Amino acid sequence: MTCYDRRDLGLLLLRLGTGGVLAAHGAQKLLGWFGGAGLEGTGQFMESVGYRPGKASATAAGLAEAGGGLLLALGLATPAAGAAAAGAMAGAAAVHAPNGFYAQSGGYEYAASLGLTAAGLSVTGPGRLSLDHALGHAVNRGWMVPAAFATTAAATAVVLGARVRHLRRQKEGTQTQEPLFEE
């Protein structure tokens, strides 16, 4: 019989909690579960905050959250799961950043906490109470951590850059022009 240490139990609890929350948020976006808006409603919201096209953005965010969360909870493909979830949370944090840090003011605190926890699990690994461990770490190799984060960072930079450009163009197009000369 294998004896598991406190670290393994702690990682299991972090994975289950963080992964479960992320999976539930993704299910809200993808399926409309747990009071979510589903793809149509989430797509409209995504458009309104500058992620275009909205439905594709909702699908990508929902898959990163639901898929990354489920895989984290299971402790399977932990480097990719944590990186994908962290990337999705970076996108959410960008939306909330203008409201400051604290969630009670609509800030990015919650998204940052989920993203950092997912990233930490990706780096630390899932522990022995995981499918990665049971499968001999076939999809949890050391080299996969930097590869997953590099891929996610590149994709996140492209998406956030496109959002910023869209929001700038939108702002420039809606500003009223001051006359150059008074009549």
Side-chain angles (χ1 to χ4, degrees):
M1 180 172 199
T2 305
C3 180
Y4 298 104
D5 63 18
R6 290 173 33 199
R7 179 182 176 274
D8 293 317
L9 184 57
L11 288 170
L12 174 65
L13 292 172
L14 278 172
R15 287 194 348 262
L16 290 174
T18 304
V21 168
L22 286 162
H25 278 279
Q28 287 180 311
K29 289 173 180 63
L30 294 172
L31 306 168
W33 292 0
F34 313 116
L39 279 178
E40 289 300 322
T42 303
Q44 291 171 5
F45 171 75
M46 296 293 256
E47 284 269 348
S48 77
V49 296
Y51 289 110
R52 298 182 65 185
K55 193 170 182 180
S57 297
T59 302
L63 288 173
E65 290 176 15
L70 180 62
L71 290 172
L72 273 177
L74 295 171
L76 181 62
T78 304
M89 292 299 99
V95 171
H96 294 282
N99 300 322
F101 179 70
Y102 293 103
Q104 68 193 29
S105 302
Y108 63 93
E109 171 187 19
Y110 187 61
S113 294
L114 285 173
L116 288 169
T117 303
L121 287 167
S122 181
V123 171
T124 303
R128 290 185 290 173
L129 297 170
S130 66
L131 287 179
D132 275 337
H133 181 75
L135 298 172
H137 297 280
V139 287
N140 180 33
R141 304 277 187 215
W143 64 267
M144 293 176 181
V145 174
F149 278 106
T151 302
T152 299
T156 302
V158 168
V159 170
L160 292 179
R163 176 181 181 259
V164 167
R165 286 189 301 279
H166 171 71
L167 291 175
R168 260 195 212 130
R169 283 192 303 267
Q170 190 177 33
K171 185 177 180 183
E172 290 169 359
T174 59
Q175 289 180 339
T176 57
Q177 296 291 328
E178 295 290 324
L180 291 175
F181 304 102
E182 290 191 33
E183 293 180 26

